[in-house]
Amino acid sequence: MPHTPPALYSFRRCPYAMRARLALQVSGIDFEHREVVLKHKPVHLLALSPKGTVPVLWLRGPDSEKVLEQSLDIMLWALRQHDPLGWLPSADADMADALDLIAHNDGPFKQQLDRYKYPNRSGLQNGVADRDAAALWLHKLDVRLRAQLFLTGEQFALADAAIAPFVRQYAHTDPGWFAAQAWPALVAWLTAFEGSALFEAIMHKHAPWQPA
C-alpha cells in the first residue's frame, strides 16, 4: 500500500505554525500543506481538533492514524523521525534547558506578547507594561546570545526554532522601538533567522486549502 504523507493544517503568519513547519522542513519529511483561512476553518480540521487552532498534524496510515494538536509535539515528532542537523539536544540536561526556555516563551512571554500586541483584547489602553515585562526576558536571551551564537549552543537548534517566531512577532509590533533597545546579540540572532533560506522556505505562500 502506498505511503500517505501526513497533512499539516497551518496558517502562514502564526508563530506556532511557523515553528512546526521549521521542524518538518528540516526533518525532510514529506507532508501535505493545508493552508487555513481562520475565518472559514475546514470542517475536517475541526473534526480532527475541535479547538480549531493551528497547527494540527494529521498522521495518516493504513492501519491507524494519529493527530498532533500542539506545535511543540509536532516539532519533537518530526525531529525524532529524522534530525539531520542535530536540533534535538543529546544530553538530558541540555534538553531540559531547551524545554525550560520554550516553556517560558509559551507561558509568560506569550501572554505578555499578546497583551502588548492586542491590548484592547485585554481591556488595556496600551500594551507598554507588558512590552516592558516581556523585554526583561529578552534581555536574558541577549545575555545568552552574547556568550554563544544560539540559545543553547553554537548551532541553531530546537529552542531557537521554537522561540524565534515569537520574538519576531514581538519585534514587528513596534520595529523602531525594538531596534532602539540595547540587545544587539538578540537583534543579530533574529536578523539572521529572518534572512535564512530556511525561513524563506517555510514562509512560501500557499493558496487556501480546499477539500477535494
Side-chain angles (χ1 to χ4, degrees):
M1 183 174 292
H3 168 70
T4 304
L8 179 74
Y9 285 96
S10 182
F11 178 64
R12 184 174 178 269
R13 296 194 307 274
C14 170
Y16 291 107
M18 283 184 198
R19 71 185 188 186
R21 298 197 306 270
L22 287 167
L24 286 165
Q25 179 76 19
V26 162
S27 73
I29 293 171
D30 182 33
F31 68 96
E32 178 191 352
H33 185 118
R34 296 184 173 184
E35 185 71 12
V36 172
V37 177
L38 298 182
K39 291 182 180 179
H40 305 286
K41 296 172 183 174
V43 172
H44 185 252
L45 167 63
L46 297 173
L48 290 175
S49 177
K51 66 185 178 64
T53 60
V54 294
V56 169
L57 187 67
W58 179 32
L59 302 173
R60 302 172 283 186
D63 302 316
S64 63
E65 64 177 48
K66 184 177 181 180
V67 176
L68 298 180
E69 301 180 83
Q70 301 298 329
S71 58
L72 182 57
D73 290 340
I74 295 171
M75 295 184 79
L76 294 173
W77 175 84
L79 295 170
R80 286 167 179 161
Q81 306 305 305
H82 192 216
D83 185 18
L85 300 185
W87 277 20
L88 289 177
S90 56
D92 290 346
D94 293 336
M95 176 61 89
D97 180 42
L99 293 177
D100 282 347
L101 288 171
I102 296 168
H104 188 96
N105 177 85
D106 293 5
F109 180 74
K110 181 60 166 63
Q111 294 165 10
Q112 292 156 353
L113 170 59
D114 286 346
R115 288 164 64 92
Y116 169 37
K117 188 173 176 65
Y118 309 108
N120 292 341
R121 295 182 183 177
S122 300
L124 302 172
Q125 288 189 337
N126 61 64
V128 171
D130 287 280
R131 178 199 70 187
D132 293 347
L136 297 176
W137 186 61
L138 294 183
H139 280 293
K140 292 181 179 179
L141 297 187
D142 182 68
V143 170
R144 275 185 174 248
L145 293 166
R146 292 183 193 214
Q148 57 195 24
L149 289 176
F150 299 99
L151 291 178
T152 54
E154 297 306 311
Q155 69 170 35
F156 191 93
L158 175 67
D160 302 279
I163 293 170
F166 296 87
V167 178
R168 176 180 180 272
Q169 191 175 69
Y170 178 98
H172 284 247
T173 301
D174 186 343
W177 180 88
F178 184 84
Q181 304 311 300
W183 41 41
L186 182 73
V187 169
W189 169 82
L190 181 61
T191 300
F193 169 68
E194 292 185 307
S196 67
L198 175 59
F199 182 71
E200 181 181 3
I202 66 107
M203 294 302 285
H204 176 76
K205 290 185 178 180
H206 292 263
W209 177 76
Q210 296 289 343

